[in-house]
Amino acid sequence: MANDTKERILAAALEMFSKNGYAGTNIRELSASLGLVKSGVYKHYESKEAIWNALLDQMTAYYGEHFGSSEHLPPVPDSLEALTRLTMQMVNITVHDEKIVMTRKVLTQEQFRDDRARELATKHFLTGLTEIFTHIFAGMMDKGLILRDDPAMLAFAYTTPISALIHLCDREPEKTEGAIAQIEAFSRHFIATYGVK
């Protein structure tokens, strides 16, 4: 029962932080949204900062498990078409999984206030993606599927426009369908450029 309440607190906190930011979220409103009194929240977390840190831990684990990370690397695709399928699978998760969308919003807002949020934003929006795709491209080069090149530079060149389009989906949700189509077209263009014929 206690673990269930802790999970409910973190879920509500993620939603409130993603809408209002850290400063705009208070324990009284968080408690009320759960049908608890403030002491009911403080029974599980000693402060708003403790909730914040537990939430960052949970978000990091969830993101790694559902999207991927340097600790949870996806398998190297066996074909060029499989690269596009993997890319679109990752894009669909990051654009449509509400928990990941809210996580991205929280990190975008709080990266300027909180050092840990800044580090996680850099990891999730840039370096982590580059690490994942460096692994993928190095493996695809070893399989003779794409031209030999610096896999880290290819990963950076591949993920940067995709990441920019994902952020566009957050800012302007009405453009999501077009952004996803553009990502798929970009992936196919990349394959046409770097794929071994």
Side-chain angles (χ1 to χ4, degrees):
M1 186 75 163
N3 281 343
D4 188 45
T5 302
K6 289 179 88 162
E7 289 299 313
R8 287 179 55 230
I9 292 168
L10 292 182
L14 176 58
E15 188 171 340
M16 292 184 89
F17 287 147
S18 73
K19 289 179 182 171
N20 308 323
Y22 181 87
T25 298
N26 67 58
I27 298 298
R28 182 181 46 76
E29 291 172 354
L30 176 64
S31 303
S33 76
L34 294 164
L36 299 172
V37 294
K38 281 172 60 172
S39 62
V41 171
Y42 286 129
K43 177 181 171 186
H44 299 283
Y45 297 99
E46 63 188 32
S47 64
K48 183 165 84 167
E49 189 68 20
I51 293 170
W52 171 252
N53 284 313
L55 184 61
L56 290 181
D57 291 341
Q58 184 186 65
M59 292 183 329
T60 299
Y62 185 87
Y63 198 90
E65 181 183 332
H66 290 83
F67 179 81
S69 68
S70 55
E71 296 83 24
H72 297 94
L73 291 168
V76 174
D78 289 324
S79 69
L80 296 173
E81 182 58 33
L83 172 63
T84 297
R85 281 196 307 271
L86 174 64
T87 300
M88 298 316 296
Q89 176 187 358
M90 293 171 84
V91 166
N92 281 319
I93 290 168
T94 198
V95 169
H96 297 298
D97 183 306
E98 280 302 311
K99 199 166 187 176
I100 288 178
V101 171
M102 287 189 288
T103 296
R104 196 165 48 252
K105 288 179 180 178
V106 168
L107 294 178
T108 298
Q109 292 178 64
E110 299 302 324
Q111 65 185 322
F112 303 105
R113 179 197 66 83
D114 182 87
D115 289 344
R116 191 165 171 214
R118 183 189 70 232
E119 291 167 9
L120 288 173
T122 298
K123 178 180 179 181
H124 292 309
F125 305 158
L126 181 63
T127 58
L129 285 172
T130 302
E131 287 175 13
I132 290 169
F133 279 91
T134 297
H135 159 77
I136 288 169
F137 291 148
M140 290 182 77
M141 287 175 200
D142 291 343
K143 291 180 179 185
L145 295 170
I146 60 175
L147 299 173
R148 282 253 165 232
D149 203 332
D150 179 339
M153 287 307 295
L154 279 185
F156 179 74
Y158 189 72
T159 59
T160 300
I162 293 172
S163 184
L165 287 166
I166 287 168
H167 283 283
L168 174 66
C169 296
D170 291 340
R171 284 191 306 277
E172 301 181 57
E174 68 279 4
K175 295 185 177 176
T176 297
E177 189 177 324
I180 289 173
Q182 193 172 1
I183 291 168
E184 185 168 358
F186 170 70
S187 179
R188 295 191 185 287
H189 171 77
F190 180 91
I191 286 168
T193 303
Y194 290 98
V196 173
K197 314 299 190 255

